[in-house]
Amino acid sequence: AQTVTQSQPEMSVQEAETVTLSCTYDTSESDYYLFWYKQPPSRQMILVIRQEAYKQQNATENRFSVNFQKAAKSFSLKISDSQLGDAAMYFCAYRSAGYGGSQGNLIFGKGTKLSVKP
Amino acid sequence: DSGVTQTPKHLITATGQRVTLRCSPRSGDLSVYWYQQSLDQGLQFLIQYYNGEERAKGNILERFSAQQFPDLHSELNLSSLELGDSALYFCASSVDLYVPRNEQFFGPGTRLTVL
C-alpha cells in the first residue's frame, strides 16, 4: 500500500520570503500523480499544484513550484514571495495512475501547518 | 467555489443516532469520492461512486454506507454513531473515472459532532 509522509507538522515563514515543505512517499508503482492541496481556515481543500511521475520536469504554478525526486520518492513544495494568504494547512497527496478501482482515490499525508509572519 | 455542494454544513447529534450527509457534484462530474478528516486519522478515503455504481472502498466502517442517485448526487449514511465519528466529511467530484490526472474538486465539507 502507498503511504505519504509529511515530517514537518508546523512551519513558519516571513512574508516575502521563501519556504519549502517536505513530503516523501512510498510506492511500488512506476506511474502515479502527486498533488499539493491547501486547506485555509475556511476548511476548503484547494489544489495548489500537481506533478505527473513520468514527467521529469518539475511543475510550476506562479509562486508555487515542486522539487520532484522520483528515485528518492521525494516531493517538496516551494513557496516563493510568501504572502499572508498562504497561511494554511498543506497536504501532500498521492494518486495512482492505474485506471478504475481503488487506485482513483487520493492518499494524503498528515499535513503541514504553515504560518506567515508579517 | 468548487461547484461541489454539501449539506448540512454542521451537524450535532448524539451517540447511537443515524445521520445522512448529502453531496451534489459539479455539473457533468460522474465520479464522487467521500473522505473523512479527523484529528487522529487525518484525511482518509472512505468510498467512491461512479455514475451510480460503487467503484472503490477505503477505510469505511460497516456502520457507514453510501449511494449515488440517478441525478448523480450522493449521500453518506452514518449509523450507530460514536464519539470517534466526529470529523469533517468531504465530498469530492471529478469528471470521470479513467483519467487520474484530473483534479478532484472538493466540497466545503460537513462538520459532524457526536456528543
Side-chain angles (χ1 to χ4, degrees), chain A:
Chain A
Q2 296 82 20
T3 58
V4 177
T5 302
Q6 293 178 250
S7 59
Q8 307 153 316
E10 295 188 26
M11 292 280 286
S12 180
V13 64
Q14 205 71 32
E15 194 175 6
E17 297 294 309
T18 295
V19 64
T20 299
L21 308 184
S22 301
C23 172
T24 58
Y25 58 94
D26 189 28
T27 184
S28 59
E29 299 176 328
S30 58
D31 198 12
Y32 47 87
Y33 293 81
L34 296 165
F35 304 83
W36 279 98
Y37 276 86
K38 171 185 178 181
Q39 187 179 41
S42 67
R43 299 292 189 178
Q44 180 71 50
M45 295 290 288
I46 302 164
L47 178 64
V48 174
I49 198 165
R50 96 188 85 196
Q51 174 76 42
E52 299 166 57
Y54 65 87
K55 288 187 177 179
Q56 292 189 344
Q57 185 174 5
N58 289 323
T60 299
E61 291 285 346
N62 300 315
R63 299 183 294 107
F64 298 87
S65 62
V66 298
N67 183 3
F68 173 50
Q69 302 289 328
K70 191 173 184 179
K73 296 180 182 176
S74 170
F75 181 61
S76 60
L77 174 69
K78 185 171 82 171
I79 306 174
S80 304
D81 185 26
S82 297
Q83 301 175 0
L84 295 178
D86 295 332
M89 282 289 289
Y90 286 83
F91 292 94
C92 178
Y94 173 103
R95 187 182 191 189
S96 172
Y99 298 114
S102 62
Q103 297 165 318
N105 58 282
L106 294 164
I107 300 168
F108 289 92
K110 293 289 188 183
T112 296
K113 183 178 181 180
L114 178 66
S115 301
V116 181
K117 298 178 180 177

Side-chain angles (χ1 to χ4, degrees), chain B:
Chain B
D1 185 358
S2 66
V4 179
T5 60
Q6 288 187 248
T7 55
K9 289 187 178 180
H10 303 279
L11 197 50
I12 301 175
T13 188
T15 55
Q17 296 299 304
R18 172 190 170 93
V19 297
T20 298
L21 313 183
R22 181 187 171 103
C23 166
S24 293
R26 292 189 322 152
S27 177
D29 283 0
L30 299 177
S31 199
V32 169
Y33 303 81
W34 286 97
Y35 293 89
Q36 178 195 58
Q37 185 177 24
S38 62
L39 283 175
D40 52 346
Q41 298 294 328
L43 266 162
Q44 289 196 104
F45 165 67
L46 295 178
I47 196 165
Q48 178 199 2
Y49 277 82
Y50 176 76
N51 203 19
E53 293 188 6
E54 181 186 305
R55 295 295 304 188
K57 271 187 173 181
N59 297 321
I60 188 166
L61 300 171
E62 287 190 8
R63 301 183 285 109
F64 296 1
S65 64
Q67 58 186 133
Q68 186 179 28
F69 294 86
D71 67 352
L72 300 177
H73 90 271
S74 179
E75 293 181 356
L76 179 67
N77 300 296
L78 315 177
S79 62
S80 302
L81 286 167
E82 302 175 358
L83 296 177
D85 298 326
S86 295
L88 186 58
Y89 291 85
F90 283 109
C91 166
S93 74
S94 65
V95 65
D96 52 35
L97 184 64
Y98 298 110
V99 185
R101 80 174 306 277
N102 283 347
E103 180 178 352
Q104 291 184 21
F105 292 88
F106 282 76
T110 293
R111 166 71 69 186
L112 174 66
T113 302
V114 182
L115 301 176

